[in-house]
Amino acid sequence: MAPISTGVECTSRMYESMVYWETTSTSGDQPEVVREFAQIWRAAEKIVYSRTLQAVSSARTRIEREFDPDAIRRLKESSGADISITGPELAGQAMSAGLIDECHLLLNPIVLGGGKRALPDNLLMRLELLGERRFRSGIVQLHYRVTV
Protein backbone atom coordinates (compact mmCIF):
# COMPACT_ATOMS: atom_id res chain seq x y z
CA MET A 1 0.00 0.00 0.00
CA ALA A 2 1.03 3.59 -0.58
CA PRO A 3 2.41 5.57 2.36
CA ILE A 4 -0.25 8.29 2.14
CA SER A 5 -3.54 7.72 3.94
CA THR A 6 -6.71 7.82 1.92
CA GLY A 7 -8.77 7.65 5.04
CA VAL A 8 -8.52 8.91 8.56
CA GLU A 9 -11.05 7.53 10.99
CA CYS A 10 -11.41 9.21 14.36
CA THR A 11 -13.77 10.08 17.17
CA SER A 12 -15.18 13.60 17.59
CA ARG A 13 -12.74 14.45 20.40
CA MET A 14 -9.77 13.37 18.29
CA TYR A 15 -11.20 15.21 15.29
CA GLU A 16 -11.43 18.42 17.30
CA SER A 17 -7.68 18.14 17.96
CA MET A 18 -6.69 17.05 14.46
CA VAL A 19 -8.76 19.62 12.51
CA TYR A 20 -5.94 22.05 13.33
CA TRP A 21 -4.14 20.59 10.30
CA GLU A 22 -6.89 21.86 7.99
CA THR A 23 -5.90 25.50 8.41
CA THR A 24 -2.31 25.50 9.66
CA SER A 25 0.15 27.33 7.48
CA THR A 26 2.14 25.28 4.97
CA SER A 27 4.45 28.12 4.02
CA GLY A 28 8.20 27.79 3.90
CA ASP A 29 8.56 29.09 7.46
CA GLN A 30 7.05 25.85 8.80
CA PRO A 31 9.22 22.76 9.36
CA GLU A 32 9.00 20.19 6.55
CA VAL A 33 7.30 17.64 8.81
CA VAL A 34 4.49 20.14 9.55
CA ARG A 35 4.01 20.94 5.87
CA GLU A 36 3.97 17.23 4.94
CA PHE A 37 1.46 16.22 7.60
CA ALA A 38 -0.84 19.13 6.77
CA GLN A 39 -0.82 18.02 3.12
CA ILE A 40 -1.58 14.41 4.11
CA TRP A 41 -4.45 15.54 6.37
CA ARG A 42 -5.98 17.79 3.74
CA ALA A 43 -5.79 15.14 1.00
CA ALA A 44 -7.29 12.36 3.14
CA GLU A 45 -10.93 11.34 3.15
CA LYS A 46 -11.95 11.61 6.78
CA ILE A 47 -14.68 9.82 8.71
CA VAL A 48 -15.55 11.08 12.18
CA TYR A 49 -17.47 8.67 14.41
CA SER A 50 -19.66 10.69 16.73
CA ARG A 51 -23.16 10.60 18.14
CA THR A 52 -22.99 14.28 19.13
CA LEU A 53 -20.97 16.21 16.54
CA GLN A 54 -23.40 18.07 14.29
CA ALA A 55 -21.05 19.46 11.63
CA VAL A 56 -17.45 19.21 10.49
CA SER A 57 -15.14 22.07 9.58
CA SER A 58 -12.74 20.32 7.23
CA ALA A 59 -12.95 19.31 3.61
CA ARG A 60 -13.38 15.69 2.56
CA THR A 61 -14.95 14.83 5.92
CA ARG A 62 -18.16 13.07 6.86
CA ILE A 63 -19.79 12.04 10.13
CA GLU A 64 -20.87 8.48 10.88
CA ARG A 65 -22.94 7.77 13.98
CA GLU A 66 -21.89 4.13 14.51
CA PHE A 67 -18.71 2.17 13.82
CA ASP A 68 -19.44 -0.43 11.12
CA PRO A 69 -16.68 -3.06 10.78
CA ASP A 70 -18.10 -4.34 7.46
CA ALA A 71 -17.97 -0.83 5.97
CA ILE A 72 -14.31 -0.57 7.02
CA ARG A 73 -13.59 -3.99 5.46
CA ARG A 74 -15.08 -2.76 2.18
CA LEU A 75 -13.07 0.44 2.42
CA LYS A 76 -9.86 -1.54 2.99
CA GLU A 77 -10.58 -3.74 -0.02
CA SER A 78 -11.26 -0.80 -2.32
CA SER A 79 -8.54 1.57 -1.09
CA GLY A 80 -5.26 1.98 -2.88
CA ALA A 81 -3.57 3.48 0.17
CA ASP A 82 -3.36 3.09 3.93
CA ILE A 83 -6.22 3.91 6.27
CA SER A 84 -5.44 5.43 9.67
CA ILE A 85 -7.65 4.85 12.70
CA THR A 86 -6.99 7.08 15.69
CA GLY A 87 -8.23 7.21 19.23
CA PRO A 88 -8.21 4.37 21.75
CA GLU A 89 -11.90 3.48 21.69
CA LEU A 90 -12.22 3.44 17.90
CA ALA A 91 -8.88 1.68 17.40
CA GLY A 92 -9.92 -0.89 20.01
CA GLN A 93 -13.13 -1.62 18.12
CA ALA A 94 -11.15 -2.03 14.89
CA MET A 95 -8.65 -4.32 16.64
CA SER A 96 -11.43 -6.47 18.09
CA ALA A 97 -12.99 -6.74 14.61
CA GLY A 98 -9.68 -7.93 13.10
CA LEU A 99 -9.30 -4.85 10.88
CA ILE A 100 -5.80 -3.79 11.91
CA ASP A 101 -2.76 -4.79 9.83
CA GLU A 102 -0.20 -2.54 11.53
CA CYS A 103 -0.12 -0.65 14.78
CA HIS A 104 1.90 2.39 15.88
CA LEU A 105 1.99 2.82 19.64
CA LEU A 106 3.36 6.01 21.16
CA LEU A 107 4.49 5.63 24.74
CA ASN A 108 4.66 8.88 26.65
CA PRO A 109 6.80 9.02 29.81
CA ILE A 110 3.99 10.42 31.96
CA VAL A 111 1.96 8.48 34.51
CA LEU A 112 -1.55 9.89 34.81
CA GLY A 113 -3.19 7.22 36.91
CA GLY A 114 -6.35 7.21 34.85
CA GLY A 115 -7.86 7.92 31.48
CA LYS A 116 -8.85 5.75 28.57
CA ARG A 117 -7.10 2.46 28.00
CA ALA A 118 -5.00 2.20 24.85
CA LEU A 119 -6.01 -1.42 24.20
CA PRO A 120 -9.35 -3.20 24.68
CA ASP A 121 -9.99 -5.96 27.21
CA ASN A 122 -10.03 -9.62 26.13
CA LEU A 123 -8.00 -9.06 22.96
CA LEU A 124 -5.23 -11.33 21.75
CA MET A 125 -3.16 -10.08 18.82
CA ARG A 126 0.26 -11.38 17.95
CA LEU A 127 2.56 -8.57 16.92
CA GLU A 128 5.86 -8.45 15.04
CA LEU A 129 8.05 -5.44 15.84
CA LEU A 130 8.90 -3.58 12.62
CA GLY A 131 10.61 -0.59 14.14
CA GLU A 132 11.11 1.65 17.10
CA ARG A 133 12.01 5.28 17.44
CA ARG A 134 13.01 7.33 20.45
CA PHE A 135 12.35 11.05 20.58
CA ARG A 136 14.28 13.61 22.65
CA SER A 137 11.11 14.19 24.67
CA GLY A 138 11.27 10.61 25.94
CA ILE A 139 8.36 9.43 23.79
CA VAL A 140 8.95 6.05 22.16
CA GLN A 141 7.17 5.00 18.97
CA LEU A 142 6.70 1.27 18.44
CA HIS A 143 5.65 0.05 14.99
CA TYR A 144 4.13 -3.44 14.81
CA ARG A 145 2.63 -5.67 12.16
CA VAL A 146 -0.26 -7.88 13.23
CA THR A 147 0.59 -11.51 12.54
CA VAL A 148 -1.87 -14.35 12.15
Side-chain angles (χ1 to χ4, degrees), residues 12 16 49-55 63 65:
S12 58
E16 290 167 355
Y49 291 92
S50 175
R51 292 182 191 96
T52 58
L53 190 66
Q54 296 303 309
I63 299 172
R65 298 298 175 203

PDB file of all heavy atoms in Angstrom, residues 12 16 49-55 63 65:
ATOM      1  N   SER A  12     -14.990  12.146  17.620  1.00  0.00           N
ATOM      2  CA  SER A  12     -15.179  13.598  17.585  1.00  0.00           C
ATOM      3  C   SER A  12     -14.138  14.324  18.423  1.00  0.00           C
ATOM      4  O   SER A  12     -13.641  15.370  18.020  1.00  0.00           O
ATOM      5  CB  SER A  12     -16.592  13.975  18.028  1.00  0.00           C
ATOM      6  OG  SER A  12     -16.861  13.492  19.312  1.00  0.00           O
ATOM      7  N   GLU A  16     -11.555  17.042  16.834  1.00  0.00           N
ATOM      8  CA  GLU A  16     -11.429  18.419  17.296  1.00  0.00           C
ATOM      9  C   GLU A  16      -9.974  18.813  17.500  1.00  0.00           C
ATOM     10  O   GLU A  16      -9.609  19.974  17.310  1.00  0.00           O
ATOM     11  CB  GLU A  16     -12.247  18.616  18.573  1.00  0.00           C
ATOM     12  CG  GLU A  16     -13.743  18.560  18.308  1.00  0.00           C
ATOM     13  CD  GLU A  16     -14.585  18.436  19.564  1.00  0.00           C
ATOM     14  OE1 GLU A  16     -14.019  18.293  20.668  1.00  0.00           O
ATOM     15  OE2 GLU A  16     -15.819  18.476  19.443  1.00  0.00           O
ATOM     16  N   TYR A  49     -16.424   9.449  13.740  1.00  0.00           N
ATOM     17  CA  TYR A  49     -17.467   8.668  14.408  1.00  0.00           C
ATOM     18  C   TYR A  49     -17.913   9.426  15.648  1.00  0.00           C
ATOM     19  O   TYR A  49     -17.144   9.607  16.583  1.00  0.00           O
ATOM     20  CB  TYR A  49     -16.942   7.283  14.773  1.00  0.00           C
ATOM     21  CG  TYR A  49     -16.713   6.445  13.552  1.00  0.00           C
ATOM     22  CD1 TYR A  49     -15.477   6.423  12.922  1.00  0.00           C
ATOM     23  CD2 TYR A  49     -17.749   5.711  13.002  1.00  0.00           C
ATOM     24  CE1 TYR A  49     -15.279   5.679  11.781  1.00  0.00           C
ATOM     25  CE2 TYR A  49     -17.554   4.964  11.858  1.00  0.00           C
ATOM     26  CZ  TYR A  49     -16.317   4.956  11.252  1.00  0.00           C
ATOM     27  OH  TYR A  49     -16.133   4.219  10.123  1.00  0.00           O
ATOM     28  N   SER A  50     -19.149   9.896  15.615  1.00  0.00           N
ATOM     29  CA  SER A  50     -19.656  10.685  16.733  1.00  0.00           C
ATOM     30  C   SER A  50     -21.171  10.618  16.763  1.00  0.00           C
ATOM     31  O   SER A  50     -21.828  10.679  15.730  1.00  0.00           O
ATOM     32  CB  SER A  50     -19.220  12.147  16.585  1.00  0.00           C
ATOM     33  OG  SER A  50     -19.803  12.932  17.600  1.00  0.00           O
ATOM     34  N   ARG A  51     -21.714  10.528  17.965  1.00  0.00           N
ATOM     35  CA  ARG A  51     -23.164  10.599  18.139  1.00  0.00           C
ATOM     36  C   ARG A  51     -23.595  12.024  18.442  1.00  0.00           C
ATOM     37  O   ARG A  51     -24.782  12.320  18.442  1.00  0.00           O
ATOM     38  CB  ARG A  51     -23.588   9.663  19.267  1.00  0.00           C
ATOM     39  CG  ARG A  51     -23.391   8.199  18.913  1.00  0.00           C
ATOM     40  CD  ARG A  51     -23.872   7.284  20.024  1.00  0.00           C
ATOM     41  NE  ARG A  51     -23.445   5.933  19.770  1.00  0.00           N
ATOM     42  CZ  ARG A  51     -22.363   5.367  20.281  1.00  0.00           C
ATOM     43  NH1 ARG A  51     -21.599   6.034  21.111  1.00  0.00           N
ATOM     44  NH2 ARG A  51     -22.042   4.127  19.984  1.00  0.00           N
ATOM     45  N   THR A  52     -22.641  12.922  18.710  1.00  0.00           N
ATOM     46  CA  THR A  52     -22.992  14.277  19.134  1.00  0.00           C
ATOM     47  C   THR A  52     -22.549  15.368  18.171  1.00  0.00           C
ATOM     48  O   THR A  52     -23.194  16.409  18.107  1.00  0.00           O
ATOM     49  CB  THR A  52     -22.386  14.573  20.514  1.00  0.00           C
ATOM     50  OG1 THR A  52     -20.965  14.412  20.447  1.00  0.00           O
ATOM     51  CG2 THR A  52     -22.959  13.632  21.577  1.00  0.00           C
ATOM     52  N   LEU A  53     -21.474  15.181  17.449  1.00  0.00           N
ATOM     53  CA  LEU A  53     -20.972  16.212  16.541  1.00  0.00           C
ATOM     54  C   LEU A  53     -21.989  16.469  15.439  1.00  0.00           C
ATOM     55  O   LEU A  53     -22.433  15.549  14.766  1.00  0.00           O
ATOM     56  CB  LEU A  53     -19.626  15.767  15.941  1.00  0.00           C
ATOM     57  CG  LEU A  53     -18.845  16.805  15.149  1.00  0.00           C
ATOM     58  CD1 LEU A  53     -18.377  17.929  16.060  1.00  0.00           C
ATOM     59  CD2 LEU A  53     -17.645  16.138  14.485  1.00  0.00           C
ATOM     60  N   GLN A  54     -22.367  17.720  15.262  1.00  0.00           N
ATOM     61  CA  GLN A  54     -23.400  18.071  14.293  1.00  0.00           C
ATOM     62  C   GLN A  54     -22.834  18.448  12.929  1.00  0.00           C
ATOM     63  O   GLN A  54     -23.496  18.269  11.913  1.00  0.00           O
ATOM     64  CB  GLN A  54     -24.254  19.218  14.829  1.00  0.00           C
ATOM     65  CG  GLN A  54     -25.033  18.851  16.075  1.00  0.00           C
ATOM     66  CD  GLN A  54     -25.942  17.643  15.854  1.00  0.00           C
ATOM     67  OE1 GLN A  54     -26.709  17.608  14.906  1.00  0.00           O
ATOM     68  NE2 GLN A  54     -25.842  16.652  16.728  1.00  0.00           N
ATOM     69  N   ALA A  55     -21.633  19.020  12.900  1.00  0.00           N
ATOM     70  CA  ALA A  55     -21.046  19.460  11.633  1.00  0.00           C
ATOM     71  C   ALA A  55     -19.539  19.367  11.718  1.00  0.00           C
ATOM     72  O   ALA A  55     -18.961  19.385  12.810  1.00  0.00           O
ATOM     73  CB  ALA A  55     -21.462  20.899  11.335  1.00  0.00           C
ATOM     74  N   ILE A  63     -19.494  12.571   8.799  1.00  0.00           N
ATOM     75  CA  ILE A  63     -19.787  12.044  10.129  1.00  0.00           C
ATOM     76  C   ILE A  63     -20.540  10.737   9.990  1.00  0.00           C
ATOM     77  O   ILE A  63     -21.465  10.633   9.190  1.00  0.00           O
ATOM     78  CB  ILE A  63     -20.642  13.045  10.933  1.00  0.00           C
ATOM     79  CG1 ILE A  63     -19.893  14.360  11.124  1.00  0.00           C
ATOM     80  CG2 ILE A  63     -21.035  12.453  12.289  1.00  0.00           C
ATOM     81  CD1 ILE A  63     -20.738  15.458  11.745  1.00  0.00           C
ATOM     82  N   ARG A  65     -22.455   7.870  12.605  1.00  0.00           N
ATOM     83  CA  ARG A  65     -22.937   7.774  13.983  1.00  0.00           C
ATOM     84  C   ARG A  65     -22.500   6.489  14.681  1.00  0.00           C
ATOM     85  O   ARG A  65     -22.371   6.451  15.894  1.00  0.00           O
ATOM     86  CB  ARG A  65     -24.462   7.896  14.013  1.00  0.00           C
ATOM     87  CG  ARG A  65     -24.960   9.229  13.495  1.00  0.00           C
ATOM     88  CD  ARG A  65     -24.467  10.374  14.333  1.00  0.00           C
ATOM     89  NE  ARG A  65     -24.850  11.665  13.746  1.00  0.00           N
ATOM     90  CZ  ARG A  65     -24.229  12.789  13.996  1.00  0.00           C
ATOM     91  NH1 ARG A  65     -23.224  12.825  14.827  1.00  0.00           N
ATOM     92  NH2 ARG A  65     -24.615  13.907  13.429  1.00  0.00           N
TER      93      ARG A  65
END
